[in-house]
Amino acid sequence: MSERIFQLFKELNGVPRPSWHEERVADWLCGFAENHHLDYQRDDHNCIVIRKPATPGREQAPITVMHAHMDMVCVAEEGKAFNPLTDPIESYIENGWMKARGTSLGADNGMGLCMALAVMESDSLEHGPLELFVTTNEEDGMTGAANIKPGFIKGRRMIDLDSEDYDTITTGAAGAYLQNHRLPLKREQTPEELHYYKVSIQSSTGGHSGVDINKGRKSAVKEICALLDKMFQEDPTMVVADITAGEANASIPARASVIIGKTTAEGLPAEGVSECEKPESIISRTSVMALIRAIGRIPYGVIKMSERMEGTVETSNNIGVIRTQEDHFHVTTHTRSFINTKMERIGKEIADEIVQNGGCSEIVMSTPAWQERTDSEFMHLVEQTFEDVLGFRPRLVEMHFVMEMGYFVERFPGIEIIPIGPRILEPHSTNERVEISTIGNIWKVLVELLKRLGE
């Protein structure tokens, strides 16, 4: 069956599906349901539920829900021609891992989705009534989950296939507070007497701004603003025409670049510098310094480790991107915490800093933290299934990434949710990869679990 899962994944990765642009992949999923004569429903946010009847003799079992999200974080290596709205993801297998050529892979959460689709199309598996629940925009606001209607799914036992730790069951997830910020900028006439350069930096390997935030990776947003501040101090006549940093709101920013004007090349970094054409306009120094001040005061990285969960980040913040627009800088921040009040307080402090520098902020997402019972009958069944099928009992962990479960608990009273999945490393980056052997093993667990839940 693994080959079929890979085939489905290849088909899925041929359908562009960045966050906020899920129309085509939603169409593809509806087509899948129609081709297999399965009932389905699609809501106004392109979330989909596909329903499959029980195998004969198991009709009276409670409905089991499989869940995944259809969108992915699309990032590409510098210099790679890639349009996430039109171009497919090219995957390949190397040394037991599936990777992508120059882009993120989309195994988060495409691999889990394809495992569920393989279940839905199979005529040989034993199971009770099934619902496949697929949400949109999980990676950049969770607007699909946030707007889901209470009656959209009927089942109250959910197997979430969005976990990235193969030998664990996720029992809790941090909340998330995603904000868009606008810092106004004033444009000025381009000086004629200066030479113009593009200065680029590769600060880190990037990565997931939740699970990788405690790995000590530098932020390209912080690095580029610190570099600009230093260069201004060394050369007060320098001008700036553009600042671009980061790849996606939910990623640790790996790359950044600025376009500057100087009388000479003296003081430029030794690497990452190329001459460029004279820009149409420059940005006032006052505007650039306001951005530098704000970024300098916004926290990045781990803010506090958990006292309750050893080795787990409790609270963190990431600055995702800087984009230079016609009349403002666009900046995003992503605050995470297991304590909702602390997360909201830090988010407000960041917004206050933006206001003090003449800007404004908008809350894009405020997702509650989530915690599952670890002593339930459902949990014990999943643990026992892992032990019987794979020979080990999975660890129960709470993770510093954001999941949609907080919304599901609010919308579907009484629901129990257990996330499982194959081993995925460095999601949201061009180093994203999934371990092949763990796909087959999680598939075995999923098949046996569905059988036991249908008894």
Side-chain angles (χ1 to χ4, degrees):
M1 180 55 73
S2 291
E3 289 302 319
R4 179 55 182 155
I5 295 170
F6 297 156
Q7 184 180 353
L8 285 165
F9 186 65
K10 183 176 181 180
E11 292 176 21
L12 174 64
N13 271 351
V15 184
R17 52 193 174 98
S19 303
W20 297 101
H21 298 278
E22 297 98 341
E23 296 83 2
R24 280 167 291 181
V25 69
D27 290 343
W28 183 80
L29 288 167
C30 292
F32 173 92
E34 292 169 357
N35 291 338
H36 292 89
H37 309 291
L38 300 172
D39 291 335
Y40 69 92
Q41 184 179 346
R42 179 175 182 170
D43 74 5
D44 294 339
H45 291 265
N46 288 312
C47 295
I48 291 170
V49 59
I50 303 174
R51 299 183 174 90
K52 182 179 183 181
T55 49
R58 297 172 180 265
E59 294 86 355
Q60 301 308 310
I63 297 170
T64 298
V65 184
M66 294 181 291
H67 168 259
H69 63 84
M70 66 182 80
D71 62 314
M72 66 173 284
V73 172
C74 296
V75 296
E77 292 176 351
E78 189 171 12
K80 181 178 177 64
F82 176 69
N83 183 343
L85 297 178
T86 59
D87 296 345
I89 304 296
E90 301 177 48
S91 61
Y92 66 98
I93 294 175
E94 181 180 75
N95 298 325
W97 294 83
M98 181 178 287
K99 306 175 183 179
R101 299 192 188 282
T103 68
S104 47
L105 175 62
D108 173 17
N109 181 217
M111 195 58 73
L113 174 57
C114 290
M115 294 172 73
L117 291 172
V119 169
M120 299 301 278
E121 73 174 13
S122 175
D123 296 324
S124 62
L125 302 180
E126 298 179 78
H127 53 77
L130 298 178
E131 291 179 321
L132 171 54
F133 176 36
V134 193
T135 45
T136 52
N137 196 34
E138 190 271 351
E139 301 288 11
D140 195 31
M142 298 193 179
T143 51
N147 289 282
I148 206 73
K149 297 294 189 293
F152 197 66
I153 62 172
K154 309 300 181 185
R156 288 299 181 266
R157 282 188 168 181
M158 176 183 287
I159 304 169
D160 173 74
L161 293 165
D162 191 21
S163 178
E164 295 152 10
D165 281 328
Y166 154 73
D167 55 355
T168 70
I169 293 174
T170 306
T171 60
Y177 200 81
L178 175 63
Q179 296 185 92
N180 288 340
H181 311 283
R182 290 172 62 105
L183 279 165
L185 64 82
K186 180 182 177 183
R187 293 196 175 269
E188 297 178 344
Q189 187 173 349
T190 308
E192 296 284 349
E193 68 277 8
L194 301 181
H195 300 282
Y196 290 90
Y197 305 90
K198 182 177 182 179
V199 180
S200 302
I201 63 170
Q202 175 82 33
S203 185
S204 74
T205 57
H208 191 295
S209 62
V211 297
D212 295 323
I213 201 70
N214 62 339
K215 294 180 179 178
R217 295 176 182 174
K218 293 181 178 179
S219 163
V221 166
K222 285 283 192 178
E223 295 286 301
I224 202 69
C225 287
L227 176 62
L228 277 175
D229 191 28
K230 177 177 180 290
M231 292 173 71
F232 267 134
Q233 292 179 34
E234 294 175 350
D235 182 0
T237 67
M238 185 184 79
V239 300
V240 176
D242 180 83
I243 304 172
T244 300
E247 297 73 45
N249 294 342
S251 296
I252 295 171
R255 299 186 300 274
S257 66
V258 294
I259 295 176
I260 61 170
K262 288 171 63 67
T263 55
T264 71
E266 185 178 348
L268 290 174
E271 298 179 350
V273 178
S274 59
E275 291 194 51
C276 60
E277 295 182 359
K278 172 187 165 186
E280 293 183 2
S281 63
I282 63 167
I283 306 166
S284 74
R285 179 164 177 169
T286 301
S287 302
V288 176
M289 292 308 299
L291 174 69
I292 291 172
R293 263 195 316 275
I295 296 299
R297 294 172 183 168
I298 293 173
Y300 162 71
V302 176
I303 295 173
K304 188 176 187 300
M305 296 297 291
S306 174
E307 297 176 3
R308 182 173 61 86
M309 302 170 286
E310 185 177 353
T312 300
V313 179
E314 176 204 272
T315 306
S316 73
N317 187 68
N318 182 60
I319 311 170
V321 301
I322 299 174
R323 297 289 184 267
T324 302
Q325 307 293 349
E326 182 61 32
D327 63 353
H328 69 278
F329 292 112
H330 171 76
V331 179
T332 68
T333 57
H334 204 152
T335 312
R336 305 173 192 261
S337 182
F338 284 99
I339 302 173
N340 291 328
T341 54
K342 181 173 290 189
M343 174 180 72
E344 292 166 2
R345 176 178 58 78
I346 292 170
K348 185 178 183 305
E349 289 173 354
I350 292 170
D352 289 344
E353 183 60 46
I354 295 293
V355 169
Q356 289 175 24
N357 284 281
C360 60
S361 300
E362 170 196 15
I363 300 170
V364 179
M365 171 178 66
S366 181
T367 306
W370 159 76
Q371 220 170 9
E372 187 61 52
R373 283 179 54 201
T374 59
D375 60 350
S376 68
E377 179 184 336
F378 185 28
M379 182 69 73
H380 293 326
L381 176 64
V382 178
E383 290 179 290
Q384 190 61 52
T385 303
F386 263 87
E387 188 162 3
D388 293 344
V389 172
L390 300 181
F392 68 85
R393 210 166 184 84
R395 295 177 295 114
L396 306 185
V397 299
E398 297 183 25
M399 300 297 291
H400 194 69
F401 49 58
V402 183
M403 304 183 81
E404 297 158 292
M405 315 319 176
Y407 289 119
F408 297 160
V409 170
E410 291 177 352
R411 300 299 191 280
F412 312 122
I415 196 166
E416 297 177 273
I417 309 168
I418 295 187
I420 61 174
R423 178 173 287 118
I424 300 172
L425 300 183
E426 308 213 45
H428 303 185
S429 79
T430 57
N431 294 314
E432 181 182 359
R433 56 201 183 276
V434 56
E435 190 172 18
I436 299 298
S437 63
T438 64
I439 298 170
N441 285 346
I442 289 296
W443 170 256
K444 294 174 187 176
V445 170
L446 177 62
V447 168
E448 180 62 24
L449 185 55
L450 291 174
K451 179 181 178 181
R452 294 182 183 188
L453 288 167
E455 292 174 349

